[in-house]
């Protein structure tokens, strides 16, 4: 019978030895019997997911896991989010993430317009469209402060500042600059838009109401991370799968999945945090596996715990992934007629000590029914180094998995 495939990705799950854990990593310290069963029955290795010189972002790492040449296909964040919002991108169109931010006395107070609600933000984005939309330009409302802007004929060689990187600094110093002179007209146009948006939004009723409620107004747009439509070949045309699905609470990952030709499946209660609906995700993955040949199941929780620098929370998220997702998937698929190949890995480490991503290789395990297992009996950063696959890079992991 034809093999089906599932990748279970624990975002940022890999880490470094931590003193408070007796110099173990959270993966070593956590009680993970099902990951260890998988390691015992399967074959392990480690994977380089961040190409040399690239920023260890989740988009880079997840594109690598799926076997894409990141330098060739990586576009801005807006392009990926647009896909998860159902916005089609046409040739010649540039797409950007467009935050609604709060500016106070000429300085960026926060990147989120005081964490504006989705309902309020939609009114503001619609208003901006009424006033500013034209043949070339349009705004698309998303969730809370996260929206998308499309500009036909825009040149993406821009030097933009992510607003969350510069709270407290003067917005004028952070206006859009260019990487090439050819992009100057695009930069000038967008910078004018930022100023115009401030005039339009400052006294909009939504913001007046927020101010009387002592909330920060969302009084400026902030476009950044420009890109075009990613030139990604579908996984279904590269590998022996007819259809596939992506399950994630994160727009970036959904977007990558959609461009990779996967169907995005939403799970109620999937929050991207440690209180996410683990059982719901496991069930959705099983349902999707009945319908599709491949499922990419992404769980964000351990990355969040890493960013918070909370090793015990991270251990909990790893144990939840093990006992509330992997256990169910292992036990259920064992009863099925068709063989199911299962892989577990993170996209990148998010060490609790430094609270951000690193570019170190990540541990992976691949279990395919019928294959002879290697010597590895548990799953963590160190055990897998004795695994059959050794250190893989580029598209070697996905080719090995689908082979
Ligand atoms: Zn990540």
């Amino acid at each position: 019978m034809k093999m089906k495939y599932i990748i279970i990705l624990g975002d940022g799950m890999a880490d470094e030895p931590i003193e408070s854990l007796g110099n173990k990593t959270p993966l070593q310290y956590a009680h993970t019997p099902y990951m260890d069963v998988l390691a015992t029955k399967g074959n392990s290795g480690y994977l380089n997911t961040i190409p040399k010189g690239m920023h260890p972002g989740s988009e880079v790492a997840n594109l690598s896991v799926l076997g894409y040449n990141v330098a060739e296909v990586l576009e801005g964040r807006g392009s990926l989010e647009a896909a998860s919002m159902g916005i089609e991108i046409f040739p010649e169109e540039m797409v950007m993430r467009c935050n609604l931010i709060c500016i106070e006395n000429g300085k960026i107070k926060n990147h989120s317009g005081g964490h504006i609600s989705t309902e309020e933000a939609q009114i503001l984005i619609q208003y901006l469209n009424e006033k500013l939309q034209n043949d070339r330009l349009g705004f698309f409302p998303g969730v809370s402060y996260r929206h998308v802007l499309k500009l036909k004929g825009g040149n993406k060689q821009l030097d933009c500042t992510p607003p969350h990187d510069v709270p407290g600094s003067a917005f004028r110093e952070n206006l859009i600059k260019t990487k090439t002179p050819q992009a100057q007209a695009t930069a000038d146009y967008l910078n004018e838009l930022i100023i115009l948006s401030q005039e339009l939004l400052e006294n909009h009723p939504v913001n007046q109401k927020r101010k009387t409620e002592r909330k920060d107004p969302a009084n400026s747009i902030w476009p950044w991370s420009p890109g075009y439509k990613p030139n990604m070949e579908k996984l279904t045309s590269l590998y022996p799968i007819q259809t596939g699905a992506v399950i994630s609470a994160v727009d970036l990952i959904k977007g990558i999945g959609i461009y990779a030709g996967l169907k995005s499946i939403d799970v109620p209660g999937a929050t991207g945090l440690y209180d996410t609906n683990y059982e719901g995700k496991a069930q959705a993955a099983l349902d999707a596996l009945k319908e599709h040949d491949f499922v990419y199941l992404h769980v964000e929780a351990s990355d969040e715990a890493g960013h918070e620098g909370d090793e015990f929370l991270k251990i909990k998220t790893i144990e939840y992934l093990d006992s509330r997702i992997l256990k169910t998937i292992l036990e259920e698929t064992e009863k099925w007629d068709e063989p199911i190949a299962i892989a577990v890995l993170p996209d990148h480490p998010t060490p609790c000590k430094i609270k951000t991503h690193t570019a170190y290789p990540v541990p992976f395990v691949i279990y395919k029914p019928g294959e002879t297992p290697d010597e590895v009996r548990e799953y963590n950063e160190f055990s897998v180094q004795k695994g059959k696959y050794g250190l893989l890079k580029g598209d070697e992991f996905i080719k090995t998995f689908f082979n």
Side-chain angles (χ1 to χ4, degrees):
M1 260 191 134
K2 202 167 168 281
M3 185 96 75
K4 291 193 171 196
Y5 303 86
I6 178 167
I7 292 176
I8 303 170
L9 189 132
D11 201 299
M13 195 161 62
D15 210 299
E16 292 163 11
I18 299 176
E19 235 172 85
S20 63
L21 306 179
N23 284 321
K24 288 182 173 176
T25 68
L27 268 176
Q28 284 180 303
Y29 192 93
H31 178 61
T32 53
Y34 296 93
M35 289 183 191
D36 297 340
V37 163
L38 207 67
T40 303
K41 287 164 67 174
N43 290 286
S44 301
Y46 49 125
L47 174 66
N48 204 339
T49 59
I50 310 295
K52 224 178 176 166
M54 291 197 101
H55 168 77
S58 285
E59 63 276 50
V60 172
N62 280 273
L63 282 167
S64 279
V65 170
L66 290 172
Y68 289 98
N69 181 332
V70 182
E72 269 175 24
V73 303
L74 185 67
E75 292 290 344
R77 188 176 278 241
S79 309
L80 296 175
E81 291 176 344
S84 78
M85 290 159 69
I87 304 164
E88 200 173 341
I89 307 172
F90 298 96
E92 289 178 45
E93 282 184 338
M94 182 183 75
V95 188
M96 299 176 87
R97 158 66 87 76
C98 184
N99 283 39
L100 281 174
I101 69 169
C102 175
I103 290 183
E104 198 175 71
N105 302 323
K107 289 180 176 167
I108 295 176
K109 188 174 183 194
N110 57 58
H111 67 284
S112 63
H115 281 281
I116 187 166
S117 73
T118 300
E119 293 72 27
E120 290 171 305
Q122 289 200 339
I123 296 169
L124 295 180
I125 293 293
Q126 196 186 338
Y127 181 66
L128 290 174
N129 267 332
E130 278 166 27
K131 295 290 179 185
L132 301 174
Q133 192 175 41
N134 58 41
D135 294 349
R136 289 181 63 205
L137 174 76
F139 298 93
F140 297 82
V143 173
S144 181
Y145 60 89
R146 304 188 296 271
H147 310 282
V148 161
L149 169 163
K150 268 207 314 194
L151 180 62
K152 199 172 174 187
N155 186 318
K156 74 165 182 176
Q157 296 301 325
L158 302 171
D159 181 4
C160 301
T161 307
H164 52 262
D165 284 352
V166 288
S169 70
F171 86 85
R172 283 192 184 275
E173 287 168 18
N174 294 295
L175 286 172
I176 298 169
K177 299 170 189 72
T178 62
K179 293 177 181 166
T180 66
Q182 289 79 7
Q184 192 61 51
T186 302
D188 291 345
Y189 181 76
L190 291 166
N191 287 331
E192 267 169 48
L193 269 184
I194 291 174
I195 306 290
L196 267 174
S197 78
Q198 294 176 3
E199 290 164 11
L200 290 168
L201 293 176
E202 184 61 41
N203 290 312
H204 188 281
V206 165
N207 279 331
Q208 282 181 341
K209 183 158 178 284
R210 286 183 67 80
K211 284 185 246 180
T212 59
E213 291 168 349
R214 296 181 165 272
K215 292 177 184 161
D216 287 333
N219 54 8
S220 179
I221 60 164
W222 198 264
W224 58 286
S225 199
Y228 308 131
K229 182 177 182 175
N231 182 21
M232 286 166 60
E233 233 178 302
K234 291 182 165 49
L235 294 172
T236 46
S237 63
L238 293 168
Y239 303 107
I241 48 171
Q242 304 280 316
T243 64
V246 57
I247 300 173
S248 172
V250 177
D251 284 339
L252 276 182
I253 309 299
K254 286 187 202 176
I256 288 172
I258 290 167
Y259 289 120
L262 309 178
K263 184 184 171 202
S264 174
I265 294 171
D266 288 323
V267 176
T271 57
L273 298 172
Y274 33 80
D275 63 352
T276 196
N277 181 0
Y278 295 90
E279 285 77 12
K281 285 193 123 163
Q283 192 53 51
L286 287 168
D287 292 345
L289 261 185
K290 287 189 180 130
E291 203 180 315
H292 301 276
D293 300 331
F294 170 54
V295 173
Y296 195 67
L297 176 60
H298 169 266
V299 185
E300 176 75 357
S302 38
D303 184 59
E304 290 294 326
H307 283 296
E308 286 180 26
D310 187 338
E311 63 268 35
F312 292 102
L313 183 61
K314 191 166 187 182
I315 289 165
K316 200 181 246 185
T317 64
I318 291 168
E319 291 180 345
Y320 283 165
L321 183 81
D322 191 74
S323 64
R324 297 166 67 180
I325 291 182
L326 184 57
K327 173 180 192 269
T328 315
I329 288 171
L330 270 173
E331 289 180 349
E332 284 304 310
T333 56
E334 221 161 66
K335 303 174 199 157
W336 295 6
D337 290 335
E338 61 266 72
I340 311 290
I342 304 173
V344 169
L345 80 169
D347 48 353
H348 51 73
T350 308
C352 292
K353 203 164 138 192
I354 58 165
K355 301 185 187 180
T356 189
H357 305 178
T358 65
Y360 290 114
V362 296
F364 71 84
V365 53
I366 293 176
Y367 163 62
K368 283 187 222 170
E371 274 196 2
T372 312
D374 61 18
E375 301 293 298
V376 178
R377 293 289 174 267
E378 47 187 72
Y379 172 73
N380 61 60
E381 294 85 345
F382 297 98
S383 60
V384 300
Q385 296 187 17
K386 297 194 187 78
K388 172 174 125 179
Y389 295 121
L391 177 63
L392 301 186
K393 61 176 186 328
D395 58 4
E396 289 169 349
F397 166 78
I398 202 79
K399 279 188 169 156
T400 302
F401 185 54
F402 283 132
N403 188 357

